mmCIF file of all heavy atoms in Angstrom:
data_model
loop_
_atom_site.group_PDB
_atom_site.id
_atom_site.type_symbol
_atom_site.label_atom_id
_atom_site.label_comp_id
_atom_site.label_asym_id
_atom_site.label_seq_id
_atom_site.Cartn_x
_atom_site.Cartn_y
_atom_site.Cartn_z
ATOM 1 N N VAL A 174 3.346 33.944 3.595
ATOM 2 C CA VAL A 174 2.768 33.625 2.285
ATOM 3 C C VAL A 174 1.345 34.360 2.183
ATOM 4 O O VAL A 174 0.941 34.941 1.228
ATOM 5 C CB VAL A 174 2.584 32.105 1.999
ATOM 6 C CG1 VAL A 174 1.858 31.913 0.680
ATOM 7 C CG2 VAL A 174 4.002 31.460 2.086
ATOM 8 N N MET A 175 0.547 34.072 3.189
ATOM 9 C CA MET A 175 -0.826 34.611 3.162
ATOM 10 C C MET A 175 -0.878 36.156 3.194
ATOM 11 O O MET A 175 -1.802 36.723 2.684
ATOM 12 C CB MET A 175 -1.603 34.012 4.412
ATOM 13 C CG MET A 175 -1.837 32.478 4.253
ATOM 14 S SD MET A 175 -2.253 31.580 5.754
ATOM 15 C CE MET A 175 -3.953 31.989 5.917
ATOM 16 N N TYR A 178 0.622 37.031 -0.568
ATOM 17 C CA TYR A 178 -0.339 36.613 -1.569
ATOM 18 C C TYR A 178 -1.725 36.614 -0.903
ATOM 19 O O TYR A 178 -2.276 35.571 -0.629
ATOM 20 C CB TYR A 178 -0.051 35.188 -2.124
ATOM 21 C CG TYR A 178 1.106 35.077 -3.123
ATOM 22 C CD1 TYR A 178 1.872 33.951 -3.063
ATOM 23 C CD2 TYR A 178 1.488 36.037 -3.979
ATOM 24 C CE1 TYR A 178 2.981 33.743 -3.973
ATOM 25 C CE2 TYR A 178 2.502 36.011 -4.935
ATOM 26 C CZ TYR A 178 3.242 34.776 -4.866
ATOM 27 O OH TYR A 178 4.283 34.615 -5.686
ATOM 28 N N PRO A 179 -2.286 37.762 -0.616
ATOM 29 C CA PRO A 179 -3.498 37.751 0.207
ATOM 30 C C PRO A 179 -4.725 37.259 -0.565
ATOM 31 O O PRO A 179 -4.834 37.402 -1.768
ATOM 32 C CB PRO A 179 -3.686 39.287 0.535
ATOM 33 C CG PRO A 179 -2.917 39.958 -0.529
ATOM 34 C CD PRO A 179 -1.809 39.108 -0.971
ATOM 35 N N ALA A 180 -5.655 36.491 0.174
ATOM 36 C CA ALA A 180 -6.886 36.014 -0.446
ATOM 37 C C ALA A 180 -7.904 36.961 -0.090
ATOM 38 O O ALA A 180 -7.959 37.482 1.010
ATOM 39 C CB ALA A 180 -7.170 34.605 0.288
ATOM 40 N N SER A 183 -5.111 38.597 -4.297
ATOM 41 C CA SER A 183 -3.879 38.436 -5.160
ATOM 42 C C SER A 183 -4.111 37.165 -6.052
ATOM 43 O O SER A 183 -5.179 36.493 -6.065
ATOM 44 C CB SER A 183 -2.738 38.141 -4.260
ATOM 45 O OG SER A 183 -2.874 36.821 -3.639
ATOM 46 N N PRO A 185 -1.680 34.131 -6.890
ATOM 47 C CA PRO A 185 -0.425 33.406 -6.768
ATOM 48 C C PRO A 185 -0.067 32.556 -8.007
ATOM 49 O O PRO A 185 1.005 31.999 -7.989
ATOM 50 C CB PRO A 185 -0.571 32.610 -5.565
ATOM 51 C CG PRO A 185 -1.801 33.013 -4.891
ATOM 52 C CD PRO A 185 -2.722 33.731 -5.877
ATOM 53 N N LEU A 201 0.814 23.438 -1.691
ATOM 54 C CA LEU A 201 0.919 24.098 -0.409
ATOM 55 C C LEU A 201 -0.369 23.625 0.415
ATOM 56 O O LEU A 201 -0.400 23.695 1.620
ATOM 57 C CB LEU A 201 0.866 25.640 -0.485
ATOM 58 C CG LEU A 201 1.287 26.397 0.839
ATOM 59 C CD1 LEU A 201 2.760 26.177 1.243
ATOM 60 C CD2 LEU A 201 1.024 27.883 0.765
ATOM 61 N N LEU A 205 -1.192 23.370 4.394
ATOM 62 C CA LEU A 205 -2.277 24.077 4.979
ATOM 63 C C LEU A 205 -3.227 23.101 5.732
ATOM 64 O O LEU A 205 -3.746 23.411 6.785
ATOM 65 C CB LEU A 205 -3.020 24.832 3.955
ATOM 66 C CG LEU A 205 -2.180 25.989 3.343
ATOM 67 C CD1 LEU A 205 -2.697 26.406 1.954
ATOM 68 C CD2 LEU A 205 -2.184 27.209 4.281
ATOM 69 N N LYS A 215 -9.457 27.130 10.837
ATOM 70 C CA LYS A 215 -9.966 26.859 9.457
ATOM 71 C C LYS A 215 -9.417 27.786 8.426
ATOM 72 O O LYS A 215 -9.609 27.655 7.265
ATOM 73 C CB LYS A 215 -11.414 26.953 9.319
ATOM 74 C CG LYS A 215 -12.153 25.668 10.005
ATOM 75 C CD LYS A 215 -13.626 25.805 9.697
ATOM 76 C CE LYS A 215 -14.290 24.600 10.337
ATOM 77 N NZ LYS A 215 -15.470 24.857 11.096
ATOM 78 N N THR A 216 -8.712 28.982 8.910
ATOM 79 C CA THR A 216 -8.183 29.929 7.960
ATOM 80 C C THR A 216 -7.241 29.234 6.971
ATOM 81 O O THR A 216 -7.154 29.636 5.843
ATOM 82 C CB THR A 216 -7.317 30.962 8.773
ATOM 83 O OG1 THR A 216 -8.064 31.215 9.938
ATOM 84 C CG2 THR A 216 -7.072 32.126 7.912
ATOM 85 N N TYR A 217 -6.601 28.188 7.466
ATOM 86 C CA TYR A 217 -5.598 27.542 6.583
ATOM 87 C C TYR A 217 -6.263 26.750 5.435
ATOM 88 O O TYR A 217 -5.850 26.842 4.340
ATOM 89 C CB TYR A 217 -4.714 26.549 7.360
ATOM 90 C CG TYR A 217 -3.894 27.310 8.466
ATOM 91 C CD1 TYR A 217 -4.001 27.043 9.864
ATOM 92 C CD2 TYR A 217 -2.945 28.207 8.075
ATOM 93 C CE1 TYR A 217 -3.410 27.779 10.757
ATOM 94 C CE2 TYR A 217 -2.159 28.904 9.017
ATOM 95 C CZ TYR A 217 -2.407 28.650 10.377
ATOM 96 O OH TYR A 217 -1.660 29.319 11.331
ATOM 97 N N THR A 218 -7.355 25.947 5.801
ATOM 98 C CA THR A 218 -7.980 25.144 4.692
ATOM 99 C C THR A 218 -8.789 26.088 3.758
ATOM 100 O O THR A 218 -8.917 25.856 2.602
ATOM 101 C CB THR A 218 -8.818 24.075 5.342
ATOM 102 O OG1 THR A 218 -9.588 24.651 6.454
ATOM 103 C CG2 THR A 218 -8.034 22.882 5.731
ATOM 104 N N GLU A 219 -9.182 27.287 4.375
ATOM 105 C CA GLU A 219 -9.889 28.218 3.475
ATOM 106 C C GLU A 219 -8.890 28.856 2.453
ATOM 107 O O GLU A 219 -9.199 29.139 1.365
ATOM 108 C CB GLU A 219 -10.585 29.336 4.309
ATOM 109 C CG GLU A 219 -11.913 28.848 4.891
ATOM 110 C CD GLU A 219 -12.362 29.645 6.159
ATOM 111 O OE1 GLU A 219 -11.823 30.679 6.446
ATOM 112 O OE2 GLU A 219 -13.398 29.268 6.756
ATOM 113 N N TYR A 220 -7.656 29.030 3.008
ATOM 114 C CA TYR A 220 -6.736 29.590 2.143
ATOM 115 C C TYR A 220 -6.317 28.568 1.049
ATOM 116 O O TYR A 220 -6.073 28.926 -0.190
ATOM 117 C CB TYR A 220 -5.374 30.030 2.896
ATOM 118 C CG TYR A 220 -4.414 30.788 1.996
ATOM 119 C CD1 TYR A 220 -4.645 32.150 1.879
ATOM 120 C CD2 TYR A 220 -3.296 30.178 1.607
ATOM 121 C CE1 TYR A 220 -3.703 32.814 1.017
ATOM 122 C CE2 TYR A 220 -2.359 30.923 0.799
ATOM 123 C CZ TYR A 220 -2.546 32.277 0.553
ATOM 124 O OH TYR A 220 -1.705 32.986 -0.222
ATOM 125 N N ALA A 221 -6.394 27.296 1.371
ATOM 126 C CA ALA A 221 -6.131 26.265 0.424
ATOM 127 C C ALA A 221 -7.163 26.279 -0.728
ATOM 128 O O ALA A 221 -6.931 26.062 -1.894
ATOM 129 C CB ALA A 221 -6.048 24.832 1.011
ATOM 130 N N ALA A 222 -8.389 26.565 -0.278
ATOM 131 C CA ALA A 222 -9.569 26.586 -1.313
ATOM 132 C C ALA A 222 -9.394 27.830 -2.133
ATOM 133 O O ALA A 222 -9.644 27.771 -3.324
ATOM 134 C CB ALA A 222 -10.877 26.593 -0.522
ATOM 135 N N PHE A 223 -8.827 28.984 -1.498
ATOM 136 C CA PHE A 223 -8.595 30.093 -2.340
ATOM 137 C C PHE A 223 -7.515 29.707 -3.421
ATOM 138 O O PHE A 223 -7.625 30.180 -4.585
ATOM 139 C CB PHE A 223 -8.049 31.257 -1.462
ATOM 140 C CG PHE A 223 -7.244 32.308 -2.165
ATOM 141 C CD1 PHE A 223 -7.690 33.112 -3.148
ATOM 142 C CD2 PHE A 223 -5.803 32.340 -1.838
ATOM 143 C CE1 PHE A 223 -6.842 33.953 -3.819
ATOM 144 C CE2 PHE A 223 -4.966 33.232 -2.515
ATOM 145 C CZ PHE A 223 -5.472 34.019 -3.455
ATOM 146 N N LEU A 224 -6.412 29.071 -2.979
ATOM 147 C CA LEU A 224 -5.338 28.722 -3.954
ATOM 148 C C LEU A 224 -5.970 27.890 -5.069
ATOM 149 O O LEU A 224 -5.671 28.168 -6.234
ATOM 150 C CB LEU A 224 -4.267 27.897 -3.317
ATOM 151 C CG LEU A 224 -3.354 28.659 -2.258
ATOM 152 C CD1 LEU A 224 -2.295 27.682 -1.659
ATOM 153 C CD2 LEU A 224 -2.647 29.818 -2.935
ATOM 154 N N PHE A 225 -6.777 27.013 -4.762
ATOM 155 C CA PHE A 225 -7.438 26.085 -5.840
ATOM 156 C C PHE A 225 -8.198 26.983 -6.761
ATOM 157 O O PHE A 225 -8.164 26.812 -7.967
ATOM 158 C CB PHE A 225 -8.259 24.992 -5.183
ATOM 159 C CG PHE A 225 -8.801 24.071 -6.235
ATOM 160 C CD1 PHE A 225 -7.964 23.130 -6.823
ATOM 161 C CD2 PHE A 225 -10.129 24.127 -6.624
ATOM 162 C CE1 PHE A 225 -8.511 22.268 -7.756
ATOM 163 C CE2 PHE A 225 -10.620 23.230 -7.585
ATOM 164 C CZ PHE A 225 -9.802 22.295 -8.166
#
Side-chain angles (χ1 to χ4, degrees):
V174 177
M175 291 161 79
Y178 285 148
S183 68
L201 194 69
L205 294 160
K215 284 190 182 134
T216 318
Y217 297 115
T218 42
E219 282 161 5
Y220 191 75
F223 154 69
L224 290 180
F225 185 74

